[in-house]
Every structure is written in structure tokens, then in C-alpha cells.
Amino acid sequence: MIRTIGVIGGGQLGRMFALDAKRMGYDVITLDPQEHSPCGQVADEQIVAQYDNLAAIEDLGRRSDVVTYEFENVAIESIRHLEKHGFSVTPSSDVLRVTQNRLLEKRFARECGIPTADFAEIDRSDDLVQAAQEIGFPAILKTVRGGYDGKGQWRVDSLAAAEAAFAEAKGVQLIWERMIPFVRELSVIATRAANDDVVTYPVAENAHDHGILSMTIAPARVSEEVSTRARGMASILGRRLGIVGTYCVEFFLTADDELLVNEMAPRPHNSGHYTIDVTQCSQYEQHVRAICGLPLAQPHLYANAIMMNILGEGTGDHLAGVEDLLADPTIVLHMYGKHHAVARRKMGHFTMLINGPLDPTAIEKAHTAHAKLHWL
Ligand SMILES: Nc1ncnc2c1ncn2[C@@H]1O[C@H](COP(=O)(O)OP(=O)(O)O)[C@@H](O)[C@H]1O
Ligand SMILES: [Mg+2]
């Protein structure tokens, strides 16, 4: 019987997961180096320790009936350590190994018969010359591990620029990807249970600003055929990966309706926040269900949604304009309890419920609402 859930990572994804887990009656313990973390504020307890502190990780394992994690940059040794000592942890270290490495992830997608952007492994500066010839420009160089929110990425359009990026990366392994002139960025949130059941949410459409998600429109403005294909690909990837829990697959949609997998996240995802407010079972509750062996819920959409991220601006820690924002009853505000609004830090988001078409007027309305907010 599962009573206590351990969560490695105390950020906003852990917080929203913990809120649903608490509602469902579970105890939650989180582990994060930052005291009073967003998840720690709503969990029953927080262990304050680094993610690779094996003694602390073992302590979390001992006190939890199942352990999960809220981001993929946790040290894989920590997950292996829990497995080796017989603690229940999900997703497994095999899943984490693939999804925390952009090269393994893309090779895995291709093994599943699912296309990706052309890519090459960059270990030495010689590899740059070869990739320039074989894959070409414009290209994007990314650290194979550890990147998120556009961090550890360089957009390059010449060999000289690629060499400069390689030097800046100081010897860490890189991936060279062809820049895709996509018409839409899409994502599919899905959850797989241990009995191999998979549910997928309606496809979401994402807009990024300098590599950070800024807006999600759900459902995406794509054809039924594209939507079905994307959801099918997400199911295949989850099943072949053998993941237990909620995960996300990001895609590029090209002008000729080709879907290319960009990356996978073995956890709930920023582009799935909308599921909290417009479905009966959020991506977080679905994750609770999967890891606790409860049946998954077939998601039902009550309304269309536009989700806007609220990023810090580095100008102050007080969010002004909230009164004005909340005068609109279609808006649901979520703040993460972070005390410092450092520039470009994810501080919160809002979901605008749309009971009509997701047309330019609706999108304009969401932008206007977002413009009411600023940090003082
Ligand atoms: N190959 C590519 N072609 C075009 N745009 C890309 C490519 N790779 C990344 N991007 C852009 O950069 C964003 C962040 O890259 P991503 O690989 O998703 O890394 P992160 O882990 O930071 O989310 C993407 O959402 C997309 O907008
Ligand atoms: Mg991404």
C-alpha cells in the first residue's frame, strides 16, 4: 500500500504534483538543496540536500513507499542507488539514462521509426567540420546533457561560429542539430501505467521566447490527422521506453506536415499545466495514479485553454497587476512561491479558459492579460 510519495526536486513541477497528491490523501516528502522550495512549501516535509547526496537519497527512499523525480537532470547514480537498495522508484534509471541525453534520445526515437532533425555527435573540433559538411547550416549546437529552458544552446550559421560555441562549451559533449524551419511547435503529454495502459492529452501548441516556453495553446491548431499521429507517436515512445508515469514529447511540425521529435521529458511538463484547469484529471494527478498503481483517467477537455508563463524580470520581487488580471473570471492564476523574481525565472503562470475558438482574438486577449503584469 502506498502512503508516502518521495519527490526528488522541489521546483514548481514537484509543487503542482504534490498539491494533487495531497488532495488524493498521500503524504509527500521532497528532497531539494534549497530550503523552503516551491514543493517543500506544500509537501509534508522537505529533506534539504543535494540531488547526488546518496545518504540523503537513501533516507528519502526509506521513508517513502515510492520515489519519483520532477526533472531529468537529477544524478542518475541517485536513481540507480535507490534501485540497488530495493526502493521503489519511477521512472526507472533506464528511462532516465535515455531521456537525459539528447543523443540517446534522438537515436531511440529513430529506432522506434519516428523521425527527428538530422543530428551529429560532437566530441572533438574535427567533428564540427564533418557535421558542417554532412548536416550543414543553419544549425543549433546543444550540450548533450544538462540543458533546459534553452540553456546550453548555440545557434550557428558558420563553421567559425560553431568553433566559437565549441570553445565556449569547454569540452562537454555536444549535439549538432539541423535548424528546422517549423510551422508549429507541438507537445503531447502522456501517461503510461505499469500495465501498459497509455493515455494522451490533446496536442498542445507552444510558443517559445529565447528558448523558454512563453505560451501554450490547447488544443493545438492542427488537423485531426496531425493530432492523431502525434498522440500515436507519443504512445509508441512511452511504451517502447517502458516509462511508468507522466511524460512529454516535443515535436516540430514542418510545412509539409511532417512531425519530428525534438525531445522527451520523463515527467510532467510546462506545456501540460493547462490540464490542471480544463480537464478532470491533470497531468500531475495522472502521474500520481500511474506511480501508485491506480487506473489512469481518459482526459476530457472542459474548455479550450491558453497558458501564459509569468517570468521574472530582475526588476523586483513584487508582482503588480494581479488585481487587474483577476478581474477577468476566465483567468486562473498559479504562483510557485519563489521569493526572488530573477530575470527569466519561471515564477508562475496563468491559464485563460476559452469557451470559443482559439482564434487571433483569443490569443490577443491572453497577451493583453499578460501585459497587465510586471515586477516591482
Ligand atoms: N533543431 C531545432 N530547430 C529549430 N528550433 C529548435 C531546434 N532545437 C531547439 N529549437 C528551439 O529551441 C527551443 C529549446 O530547445 P529544446 O531542444 O527543446 O531544449 P530545452 O531542453 O531547453 O527545452 C525549442 O523549443 C525550439 O523553439
Ligand atoms: Mg524543450
Side-chain angles (χ1 to χ4, degrees), residues 197-210:
D197 279 353
V198 175
V199 297
T200 61
Y201 284 86
V203 179
E205 174 182 335
N206 302 315
H208 291 83
D209 175 24
H210 293 86

Side-chain angles (χ1 to χ4, degrees), residues 102 142 149-150 153 177-178 180 185 208 250 262-263:
R102 295 187 194 274
K142 303 178 185 174
D149 286 347
Q153 301 190 356
E177 287 180 30
R178 177 87 195 170
I180 303 299
E185 276 200 82
H208 291 83
E250 295 178 14
N262 173 34
E263 60 169 351

Side-chain angles (χ1 to χ4, degrees), residues 129-182:
V129 179
Q130 199 178 339
Q133 277 166 5
E134 288 175 7
I135 299 169
F137 300 100
I140 180 162
L141 286 165
K142 303 178 185 174
T143 57
V144 166
R145 295 155 175 280
Y148 66 97
D149 286 347
K151 294 190 172 85
Q153 301 190 356
W154 297 264
R155 291 164 191 228
V156 297
D157 50 17
S158 68
L159 189 56
E163 277 164 353
F166 182 79
E168 207 181 306
K170 295 195 175 70
V172 303
Q173 192 180 43
L174 299 179
I175 182 171
W176 178 300
E177 287 180 30
R178 177 87 195 170
M179 274 301 264
I180 303 299
F182 55 78

Side-chain angles (χ1 to χ4, degrees), residues 62-343:
R62 201 173 298 113
R63 290 158 62 185
S64 308
D65 298 304
V66 61
V67 176
T68 188
Y69 42 91
E70 57 120 38
F71 72 138
E72 61 274 30
N73 294 326
V74 12
I76 195 158
E77 291 71 29
S78 296
I79 307 305
R80 290 203 177 115
H81 188 79
L82 289 169
E83 288 169 344
K84 203 170 74 200
H85 287 79
F87 297 114
S88 166
V89 55
T90 186
S92 69
S93 62
D94 287 341
V95 169
L96 184 60
R97 191 178 67 86
V98 174
T99 52
Q100 69 177 196
N101 181 310
R102 295 187 194 274
L103 283 166
L104 297 184
E105 192 169 71
K106 285 203 168 52
R107 287 179 190 138
F108 169 76
R110 290 189 165 201
E111 279 165 24
C112 294
I114 294 174
T116 68
D118 286 336
F119 66 95
E121 176 176 339
I122 306 293
D123 297 301
R124 292 176 301 275
S125 62
D126 289 354
D127 296 335
L128 296 170
V129 179
Q130 199 178 339
Q133 277 166 5
E134 288 175 7
I135 299 169
F137 300 100
I140 180 162
L141 286 165
K142 303 178 185 174
T143 57
V144 166
R145 295 155 175 280
Y148 66 97
D149 286 347
K151 294 190 172 85
Q153 301 190 356
W154 297 264
R155 291 164 191 228
V156 297
D157 50 17
S158 68
L159 189 56
E163 277 164 353
F166 182 79
E168 207 181 306
K170 295 195 175 70
V172 303
Q173 192 180 43
L174 299 179
I175 182 171
W176 178 300
E177 287 180 30
R178 177 87 195 170
M179 274 301 264
I180 303 299
F182 55 78
V183 292
R184 295 243 193 280
E185 276 200 82
L186 306 175
S187 59
V188 174
I189 304 293
T191 308
R192 179 178 174 274
N195 67 3
D196 207 32
D197 279 353
V198 175
V199 297
T200 61
Y201 284 86
V203 179
E205 174 182 335
N206 302 315
H208 291 83
D209 175 24
H210 293 86
I212 302 190
L213 184 69
S214 53
M215 175 174 71
T216 295
I217 299 173
R221 297 163 299 166
V222 296
S223 69
E224 197 55 41
E225 189 279 322
V226 166
S227 156
T228 305
R229 189 150 39 99
R231 293 172 83 164
M233 286 176 171
S235 301
I236 290 171
L237 290 167
R239 288 211 162 96
R240 285 279 291 268
L241 206 50
I243 189 170
V244 173
T246 292
Y247 59 100
C248 175
V249 183
E250 295 178 14
F251 298 92
F252 299 129
L253 179 68
T254 66
D256 50 5
D257 266 3
E258 196 182 9
L259 283 164
L260 305 173
V261 166
N262 173 34
E263 60 169 351
M264 291 182 280
R267 51 164 173 81
H269 191 263
N270 194 165
S271 67
H273 291 348
Y274 81 89
T275 64
I276 301 174
D277 302 308
V278 297
T279 74
Q280 88 287 19
C281 179
S282 75
Q283 60 168 349
Y284 303 99
E285 173 172 343
Q286 210 81 265
H287 189 62
V288 174
R289 288 174 177 237
I291 71 176
C292 295
L294 298 169
L296 303 182
Q298 194 58 50
H300 175 77
L301 207 60
Y302 294 131
N304 295 332
I306 299 180
M307 188 280 317
M308 306 282 291
N309 268 345
I310 301 170
L311 302 185
E313 289 165 354
T315 51
D317 298 331
H318 170 69
L319 185 61
V322 170
E323 294 82 352
D324 198 9
L325 181 81
L326 294 183
D328 177 346
T330 69
I331 286 187
V332 187
L333 180 65
H334 299 255
M335 296 303 296
Y336 307 150
K338 297 181 184 177
H339 300 307
H340 296 297
V342 175

